[in-house]
Amino acid sequence: MQEPYPLYTLLIEITKKCNAACDQCGSRCDIHSEERLSGEQILAALRDIREHIGTYTMLNITGGEPLLRRDLFEIMTEASAMGFEWGMVTNGSLITDEVIRRMQSSGMKTVTVSVDGLRETHDSLRHLPGCWDRIMTALKKLKAARFLDHLQVTFTANRRNIYEFEALYDILRPIGLDSIRVSFMDPIGRALDNTELLLTREEILYLTALANRINSGPNPTKIIWGCPHFLGTQLDNRRFHCFAGICSASILFNGDIFVCPNVPHQPELIQGNILTDSFSDVWKNRFSFFRHRPLPEKCKSCVHHADCGGDSLHTLDFERGEPLFCYRDFLEQPDVQLYKSALFRQYAHLSFFEISGDANDAREVLMEPDAFRSVAQYFHLGRKHPQSMFEQQMALIGFSCGNTDVVRYVIPCDGALRAEDNAIFTGKILRTVMHELDIINRNYYASDDRALTGSECSNRQPMKFLGFIHSHPVQSELQYSTGDDAIHAKMFKRFGAYIGILVNPAEGTMGAYFGREMRQARLIVPELPAT
């Protein structure tokens, strides 16, 4: 009779040593990390599994960098002789002709090689100069050797490499890979030190739409999602389930019996240790928390909880009992508080400041960090600069969520006859803005028409024109001019809503105005530059 929880995958953290120091790493491995298990201790655990569970379990060798383990192939040759099939995840930098020969002779069936962008980006993310070229050579040689059941590349998407994926795919496809495994960079391990690399919502939408388009094309190298998150049924991820502790487990570098190595190593979650416990006994009789996992409180009222199950364990905040990544927060955004919570969590390394508006009105304007960085650079906030001494203007592009207007993009659009306290607004400015807005929406949304549907506060709705921000370089106390009043009224009549923001560049002061009556709104921006 089959066990109620068959062990299909066993990850063995064969070493914590790694010759790279990747910015996006979900661990904190480095060249000085430890190896605590002997080859015989690992093989003893495998004999126990063979006898009491079976050899149908696929062994997935991971690290660190497995190829730094000197007795790796001796261990895995014996594992193969026991009847286990095995594969390995590697950064690929140490694969040589001799390594390929030993892979084949030791019975390796699968290999996954990490490639995180084009040459310069990949090498800089991994801090391994020349690594990309060695990997490309290794992939071609592995394919030519013809002994693997599955040759795979894994790509960890982040803000530095996401728009290189399509070009990278075109380079990898002729090699004849069996699949490309795509994951998102998550706020775990060393990646916590580089949260500015975490993907934004539109970048997630862009990548998933691109992958769907590639997969539906002729004879694709299949793109699969590796331990990602629930991304909604419209993104070909009908139902998500985290299998940690249910059909997969791991032996960590120190012998701990655990689930996915990326799950936080909290003492109460460790199920045993192969130096003192029988792995098969632990697998059959423990892992209760993972097999009867409580649904996070915030998930109980969610319409997606049956398809999502609380999302991935590796991004669960065990102290709060809530997921660090949530589909509703990042993509569906059913209300403004969820959106703001996700934004502030994603940019936890930044402080957000509120510039008070009308105390009797709840209207607020929130600038996302990328948009505000562009504003600060364009207007030279906090300092005098020749360009900023005359009036300048940018269009505000984003979406509205209840009483919050979210500025995601800004478009430079200077008026005619600029002076220090005046510039003429022309019809050409608005036509240019509408053209750029159309490009934004076609680029991010038209590749998947289903991405245009959703709730009022959905990030999947098209971006829209929100208003303008312009400067008054000589005005210490910000105040609309007569011309500004007229433009505001005209824009409000045309679009039904309008936000106008004034800024004094040298002093770094700003104010936002909305509605027919031009009342002041609360303006929320990240880390105002020093004045």
Side-chain angles (χ1 to χ4, degrees):
M1 185 176 71
Q2 188 180 39
E3 296 287 345
Y5 295 100
L7 180 63
Y8 290 130
T9 303
L10 176 64
L11 295 98
I12 302 178
E13 199 174 53
I14 204 84
T15 181
K16 289 286 281 187
K17 290 182 182 295
C18 189
N19 59 329
C22 307
D23 293 336
Q24 73 276 24
C25 182
S27 180
R28 288 188 181 272
C29 303
D30 59 44
I31 199 63
H32 304 294
S33 296
E34 302 174 81
E35 287 178 8
R36 295 192 190 174
L37 293 178
S38 69
E40 181 51 40
Q41 288 166 334
I42 295 170
L43 291 169
L46 294 180
R47 294 186 193 102
D48 169 50
I49 294 170
R50 177 186 61 181
E51 182 176 353
H52 299 289
I53 295 177
T55 57
Y56 64 86
T57 302
M58 179 70 181
L59 307 182
N60 190 342
I61 306 305
T62 183
E65 170 49 52
L67 291 175
L68 286 173
R69 175 98 186 201
R70 294 184 177 182
D71 58 351
L72 169 67
F73 292 114
E74 287 79 1
I75 296 170
M76 300 319 299
T77 297
E78 289 202 40
S80 294
M82 291 182 201
F84 290 102
E85 293 190 345
W86 73 282
M88 178 175 68
V89 179
T90 172
N91 65 37
S93 65
L94 302 176
I95 298 177
T96 62
D97 291 344
E98 175 61 17
V99 166
I100 292 174
R101 185 192 66 77
R102 299 192 73 186
M103 287 176 171
Q104 183 170 8
S105 64
S106 60
M108 175 186 277
K109 300 296 184 182
T110 69
V111 65
T112 297
V113 181
S114 300
V115 183
D116 292 317
L118 301 178
R119 180 183 289 104
E120 182 178 347
T121 301
H122 172 91
D123 289 357
S124 64
L125 281 169
R126 293 189 167 266
H127 302 279
L128 278 179
C131 178
W132 193 89
D133 288 320
R134 294 196 295 274
I135 289 171
M136 292 300 122
T137 298
L139 287 171
K140 294 170 185 175
K141 289 184 175 182
L142 284 167
K143 182 65 179 179
R146 301 175 65 86
F147 67 91
L148 293 168
D149 291 342
H150 201 98
L151 174 60
Q152 181 184 79
V153 156
T154 184
F155 174 86
T156 302
N158 60 66
R159 303 205 71 188
R160 282 168 59 189
N161 66 14
I162 183 171
Y163 295 114
E164 294 183 356
F165 179 74
E166 190 166 12
L168 178 64
Y169 175 86
D170 290 339
I171 292 171
L172 294 174
R173 185 179 181 184
I175 295 175
L177 304 173
D178 295 293
S179 65
I180 299 175
R181 180 179 183 266
V182 176
S183 296
F184 303 145
M185 174 180 164
D186 282 313
I188 56 175
R190 190 179 291 113
L192 279 171
D193 302 333
N194 300 286
T195 55
E196 73 280 0
L197 296 180
L198 295 174
L199 297 179
T200 62
R201 290 160 299 285
E202 76 268 31
E203 287 164 345
I204 292 174
L205 285 169
Y206 163 80
L207 185 59
T208 50
L210 174 61
N212 287 346
R213 176 166 60 82
I214 290 173
N215 281 339
S216 62
N219 303 313
T221 296
K222 193 71 174 177
I223 297 172
I224 62 175
W225 297 102
C227 292
H229 304 278
F230 175 72
L231 298 175
T233 55
Q234 83 280 4
L235 296 176
D236 294 339
N237 195 16
R238 302 288 180 221
R239 186 179 178 89
F240 177 81
H241 198 88
C242 184
F243 293 107
I246 297 172
C247 62
S248 68
S250 67
I251 297 174
L252 302 184
F253 76 104
N254 62 353
D256 282 343
I257 300 171
F258 196 47
V259 286
C260 170
N262 284 333
V263 174
H265 297 179
Q266 297 187 196
E268 66 273 18
L269 298 178
I270 302 297
Q271 302 299 297
N273 190 290
I274 63 169
L275 301 181
T276 56
D277 301 296
S278 159
F279 182 96
S280 61
D281 181 67
V282 171
W283 176 254
K284 292 177 181 179
N285 298 299
R286 301 184 194 176
F287 289 91
S288 177
F289 170 83
F290 304 102
R291 293 166 184 175
H292 308 285
R293 174 183 167 191
L295 194 66
E297 194 64 34
K298 71 174 288 186
C299 303
K300 291 180 180 177
S301 60
C302 177
V303 296
H304 300 296
H305 77 268
D307 292 320
C308 173
D311 208 65
S312 296
L313 272 172
H314 73 273
T315 50
L316 181 66
D317 183 334
F318 284 90
E319 291 185 7
R320 296 188 302 123
E322 292 187 359
L324 292 173
F325 179 97
C326 176
Y327 164 75
R328 297 178 70 209
D329 290 358
F330 273 74
L331 299 177
E332 191 175 77
Q333 299 171 5
D335 64 58
V336 69
Q337 293 306 320
L338 283 177
Y339 160 76
K340 288 167 68 176
S341 174
L343 180 74
F344 296 156
R345 187 166 63 240
Q346 179 176 0
Y347 293 98
H349 60 292
L350 299 179
S351 297
F352 283 76
F353 296 84
E354 180 177 308
I355 300 171
S356 297
D358 189 335
N360 297 319
D361 202 291
R363 196 75 198 177
E364 65 182 13
V365 179
L366 173 59
M367 280 200 184
E368 293 193 355
D370 281 356
F372 186 69
R373 273 191 284 270
S374 296
V375 166
Q377 292 168 0
Y378 184 72
F379 289 102
H380 303 278
L381 293 188
R383 57 195 176 94
K384 288 188 176 182
H385 186 277
Q387 185 177 346
S388 67
M389 291 177 185
F390 279 19
E391 186 170 310
Q392 296 173 281
Q393 185 172 13
M394 302 181 92
L396 309 173
I397 305 298
F399 64 95
S400 298
C401 192
N403 285 327
T404 299
D405 294 300
V406 178
V407 179
R408 181 159 293 166
Y409 307 103
V410 287
I411 301 170
C413 45
D414 285 334
L417 300 177
R418 289 174 55 216
E420 63 179 6
D421 59 355
N422 185 48
I424 295 177
F425 181 85
T426 67
K428 182 180 178 181
I429 290 175
L430 196 56
R431 289 193 296 272
T432 299
V433 170
M434 293 299 111
H435 176 69
E436 294 298 319
L437 175 60
D438 180 61
I439 291 173
I440 289 171
N441 282 322
R442 281 192 287 119
N443 187 41
Y444 286 118
Y445 301 97
S447 57
D448 186 349
D449 291 339
R450 291 169 296 179
L452 295 175
T453 62
S455 62
E456 174 195 359
C457 204
S458 172
N459 183 52
R460 293 173 294 164
Q461 64 179 323
M463 295 292 102
K464 67 178 184 178
F465 167 70
L466 298 173
F468 286 105
I469 177 173
H470 73 280
S471 60
H472 281 187
V474 296
Q475 190 180 95
S476 295
E477 293 187 7
L478 298 174
Q479 186 177 356
Y480 262 18
S481 68
T482 302
D484 294 336
D485 289 346
I487 293 170
H488 189 114
K490 184 177 181 179
M491 293 296 104
F492 182 84
K493 182 178 180 180
R494 175 166 178 172
F495 294 100
Y498 180 78
I499 294 293
I501 300 179
L502 285 179
V503 55
N504 181 303
E507 296 185 15
T509 54
M510 304 175 72
Y513 305 87
F514 74 100
R516 189 188 305 274
E517 299 83 6
M518 291 174 274
R519 293 200 303 272
Q520 192 170 3
R522 292 199 311 276
L523 180 60
I524 301 173
V525 296
E527 291 188 330
L528 280 170
T531 57

